[in-house]
Amino acid sequence: MNYTQHASVRSQQRNVPPMIVDWLQQFGKEVHVHKCGVIYFFDKSSIRNIEKSQGRTIIKKLMSYLNAYIVVSSDSHSLITAGHNYKRKRLDA
């Protein structure tokens, strides 16, 4: 995945490792935001899928990273930003 300069700085500052970015794309729930991009984050089912794929021990060790999210551009498929969500998401609105 291509990182924008902003994304590479933010992922370093916010401590979102490349492995977590890959897992977010592979296993994460995606929510399309207007026409600008897609947000990926981990929900219960995606964490279960990681656990099936990688093992329970990995999940326990990397639990602090499982509140991460990424925003990917819908047209160029570049990573726009990355961070951690400390509040629950409400997707019903």
Side-chain angles (χ1 to χ4, degrees):
M1 164 174 288
N2 296 327
Y3 284 49
T4 62
Q5 186 168 357
H6 174 80
S8 60
V9 169
R10 289 296 180 250
S11 60
Q12 274 189 332
Q13 287 176 340
R14 296 174 179 167
N15 195 22
V16 179
M19 179 182 67
I20 298 299
V21 172
D22 291 340
W23 282 1
L24 281 162
Q25 276 195 296
Q26 186 177 359
F27 299 107
K29 179 173 177 69
E30 45 179 272
V31 176
H32 294 271
V33 182
H34 305 290
K35 295 181 182 180
C36 61
V38 181
I39 299 174
Y40 291 90
F41 62 93
F42 295 121
D43 61 357
K44 287 182 182 181
S45 65
S46 60
I47 292 172
R48 272 189 247 118
N49 289 336
I50 295 171
E51 187 176 337
K52 289 177 189 174
S53 174
Q54 305 296 323
R56 182 172 284 172
T57 307
I58 298 273
I59 294 294
K60 286 181 181 179
K61 291 191 185 264
L62 299 176
M63 188 61 80
S64 63
Y65 294 105
L66 298 182
N67 64 351
Y69 68 89
I70 58 172
V71 179
V72 177
S73 170
S74 59
D75 55 350
S76 65
H77 301 290
S78 298
L79 184 68
I80 297 172
T81 194
H84 293 275
N85 185 21
Y86 298 107
K87 295 182 182 179
R88 291 186 77 156
K89 290 198 177 4
R90 289 197 57 196
L91 299 175
D92 55 323

